[in-house]
Amino acid sequence: MCTFIIAIVLQQSLLLFSIMNCSFICYYLSLLIGAIYAHELDIEDPKSIKDVSGKIAKKLMQMYPGNKPGGIPGLFPEPYYWWEAGAVFGGLVDYWYYTNDNKYVLATMEAMLHQVGPEDNYMPPNQTKSLGNDDQAFWGLAAMSAAEKNFPNPPKGKPQWLALAQAVFNTQVPRWEKSTCGGGLRWQIFTFNKGYDYKNTISNGCFFLLASRLARYTGNNTYVEWAEKSWDWTRQVGLMTDDYRFWDGANVNSDCSTVDVIQWSYNAAIYLAGAAYLYNYTDGKDIWRKRVDGILTQMEPFFVDGVMTEQACEPYGTCNVDQRSFKAYLARFMALTVKMAPWTADTIMPKLRTSAVAAARHCSNGADKNFCGLRWTVPTWDGYSGVGEQLSGLEAVQSLLIYQTQVPFTDSNGGTSVGNPGAGMGEGVPKSRTFNISMADVHGARALTSFIVIGFLIFTVWMVV
């Protein structure tokens, strides 16, 4: 009996061992198969980086219906919001800048001009129901990027890149609201939109970055003043901590006394880039170097073994459509920081290189082995794909070409985009429609009113009789 039991135990042990061994082998086979089909990225070879970037960009543009029959230029289908389309075309401006590939120039220009709206300030009426300050700003930052990088200018008679960026800034300045929370921009522009009672870090961070970049490009210190005001308010209200962590936002109904302390990578990245621009513009002012260094010390939560991750949602499978694109802006703005504050390269570039390798491997999915997944810190594809994932993969890989590019231009140093300091002025929040009323209109209205009153009295007497 004892011998029989021992035999059963041995049999079960061998079975368990074989299963575990099979799982172990299968795991490494999956890695091997993934490696066979993965994009071959040589991070030391610009041609390899351009080739992989080109493949990822091609898949991204296959997802875009705006340049196809029946499509609307500048729009992606649901579930993608308008702001993310602006982020995509900002990424395609980057793609042109990094690779010199003109393939998507016309589609990018068409999209960015089609969405400017009737006032040329990126406030198209058909986006009113969800138009936030951050949404508008992402398009404004795309236009700013086009100006800085000498992206081909629009035809004469069309709004120009610098003027569009200035228009966005000028429409947002009047929305700076001191009556609640001591300042800052609300998330939403219109009172009827959900989120109007929230002042979020990304809206104010976009405003800060746009002001910083306009200051550097134009040399106008008014932009610096607004950038400093935005930075100071973010700190004073508690959306930024003393040690340079950035929270999500706060509700105006509590006068911003209660802060939502979730951390998103793009908040830190956008303030990092803005601080780097001001460091560059002020010829290395110590306060901005200190702030750049401070933010960099708090970037670790967004990396696992050197690979980018959106730590607030990726490990839990809770990233929504917007959040699945956030790593794109982390890569984009870290690369810009290297250009504006070169000493940061020792900290930033190793992270960008490790992340690019992981991104390339995770952009080798689907039937054509060209879909990007969401999580780059796991061994195999997580099953996610979409515009945000594709844009993140593109920005991570193409950012490695930052040393192959010129420093962003300025108005006094090679920039060709035409500006308009007064663009969008007075259009912060659309005004109610007004009419010109003449005295003849007034007399006519009085006569009509008298006629109606007399008629009503006659009718009343007739009914009584």
Side-chain angles (χ1 to χ4, degrees):
M1 183 66 178
C2 184
T3 304
F4 177 74
I5 292 173
I6 291 171
I8 293 294
V9 170
L10 286 172
Q11 183 183 28
Q12 294 300 316
S13 298
L14 287 170
L15 179 61
L16 180 61
F17 176 79
S18 64
I19 291 171
M20 292 175 63
N21 199 39
C22 178
S23 299
F24 182 78
I25 293 169
C26 289
Y27 171 78
Y28 280 98
L29 277 175
S30 70
L31 291 182
L32 178 61
I33 292 169
I36 291 170
Y37 289 105
H39 292 313
E40 295 181 8
L41 177 64
D42 181 349
I43 61 174
E44 302 299 333
D45 180 7
K47 183 179 183 304
S48 173
I49 299 168
K50 290 179 182 181
D51 286 347
V52 174
S53 297
K55 291 174 183 176
I56 298 173
K58 179 180 179 181
K59 174 57 66 178
L60 178 62
M61 288 303 287
Q62 287 174 354
M63 299 175 182
Y64 172 59
N67 59 348
K68 301 177 180 67
I72 300 174
L75 295 186
F76 282 84
E78 291 185 355
Y80 301 105
Y81 287 103
W82 180 71
W83 80 271
E84 192 168 343
V88 166
F89 293 106
L92 289 172
V93 169
D94 287 347
Y95 175 75
W96 171 84
Y97 170 68
Y98 284 128
T99 67
N100 293 315
D101 184 352
N102 294 316
K103 205 179 277 96
Y104 308 118
V105 166
L106 292 179
T108 300
M109 183 182 294
E110 179 190 42
M112 291 177 65
L113 293 178
H114 194 82
Q115 294 298 321
V116 298
E119 303 295 336
D120 295 342
N121 58 7
Y122 287 117
M123 291 184 65
N126 62 340
Q127 298 300 326
T128 299
K129 65 180 182 181
S130 63
L131 187 59
N133 281 301
D134 50 352
D135 304 340
Q136 182 193 24
F138 264 92
W139 284 90
L141 288 169
M144 188 72 243
S145 188
E148 289 176 334
K149 292 164 183 173
N150 272 353
F151 190 74
N153 290 313
K156 288 184 178 179
K158 296 288 186 181
Q160 302 299 301
W161 303 132
L162 178 58
L164 284 167
Q166 290 171 313
V168 170
F169 175 84
N170 289 338
T171 57
Q172 294 199 347
V173 165
R175 300 179 200 144
W176 186 269
E177 185 188 67
K178 292 192 71 174
S179 60
T180 59
C181 309
L185 297 175
R186 291 177 182 253
W187 174 20
Q188 291 294 311
I189 296 172
F190 298 99
T191 58
F192 49 78
N193 281 343
K194 184 179 180 182
Y196 182 74
D197 59 355
Y198 196 65
K199 291 192 175 181
N200 63 339
T201 304
I202 192 59
S203 291
N204 290 280
C206 286
F207 181 72
F208 168 68
L209 177 58
L210 183 58
S212 302
R213 293 168 77 166
L214 282 169
R216 180 181 176 273
Y217 193 94
T218 66
N220 185 337
N221 279 326
T222 299
Y223 296 121
V224 176
E225 293 169 6
W226 275 105
E228 290 175 338
K229 179 184 287 192
S230 180
W231 175 280
D232 291 344
W233 176 82
T234 305
R235 175 65 199 94
Q236 290 162 8
V237 82
L239 298 183
M240 179 204 318
T241 67
D242 287 338
D243 59 353
Y244 302 102
R245 288 175 292 167
F246 293 86
W247 308 132
D248 184 70
N251 196 289
V252 301
N253 296 324
S254 66
D255 203 35
C256 296
S257 61
T258 304
V259 175
D260 184 352
V261 294
I262 194 168
Q263 288 182 272
W264 299 109
S265 64
Y266 74 159
N267 283 328
I270 211 161
Y271 278 90
L272 175 69
Y277 265 86
L278 289 175
Y279 168 83
N280 184 278
Y281 175 65
T282 58
D283 295 323
K285 199 171 180 180
D286 286 344
I287 186 63
W288 291 112
R289 179 169 183 140
K290 177 184 176 183
R291 288 167 174 174
V292 169
D293 285 339
I295 298 171
L296 275 178
T297 62
Q298 294 296 340
M299 300 297 275
E300 286 304 319
F302 309 119
F303 294 86
V304 173
D305 295 330
V307 177
M308 291 179 182
T309 181
E310 199 58 50
Q311 53 90 27
C313 63
E314 281 188 20
Y316 316 107
T318 57
C319 296
N320 65 25
V321 170
D322 291 347
Q323 294 153 8
R324 284 153 56 183
S325 71
F326 285 1
K327 291 199 296 291
Y329 323 123
L330 179 58
R332 179 186 300 181
F333 295 134
M334 288 182 80
L336 268 181
T337 297
V338 169
K339 213 64 174 173
M340 291 294 108
W343 86 89
T344 62
D346 289 345
T347 302
I348 289 175
M349 291 311 298
K351 289 179 168 58
L352 288 181
R353 292 188 185 103
T354 305
S355 296
V357 170
R361 181 161 63 85
H362 282 275
C363 285
S364 306
N365 303 304
D368 61 356
K369 303 301 177 185
N370 201 23
F371 280 99
C372 295
L374 173 62
R375 298 184 66 186
W376 305 340
T377 56
V378 295
T380 56
W381 185 26
D382 57 10
Y384 283 94
S385 64
V387 172
E389 291 86 345
Q390 209 69 23
L391 179 61
S392 295
L394 176 63
E395 290 281 14
V397 174
Q398 67 187 15
S399 70
L400 298 188
L401 295 167
I402 192 67
Y403 288 127
Q404 311 296 319
T405 61
Q406 290 183 287
V407 174
F409 297 99
T410 67
D411 193 39
S412 61
N413 186 26
T416 61
S417 189
V418 177
N420 176 7
M425 200 72 79
E427 297 295 332
V429 176
K431 298 178 177 65
S432 300
R433 190 177 177 187
T434 58
F435 301 89
N436 293 321
I437 301 174
S438 67
M439 287 307 297
D441 295 326
V442 172
H443 293 315
R446 287 173 178 169
L448 180 60
T449 303
S450 299
F451 176 79
I452 292 171
V453 170
I454 293 169
F456 176 75
L457 291 173
I458 294 171
F459 176 76
T460 301
V461 171
W462 178 79
M463 288 294 292
V464 171
V465 174

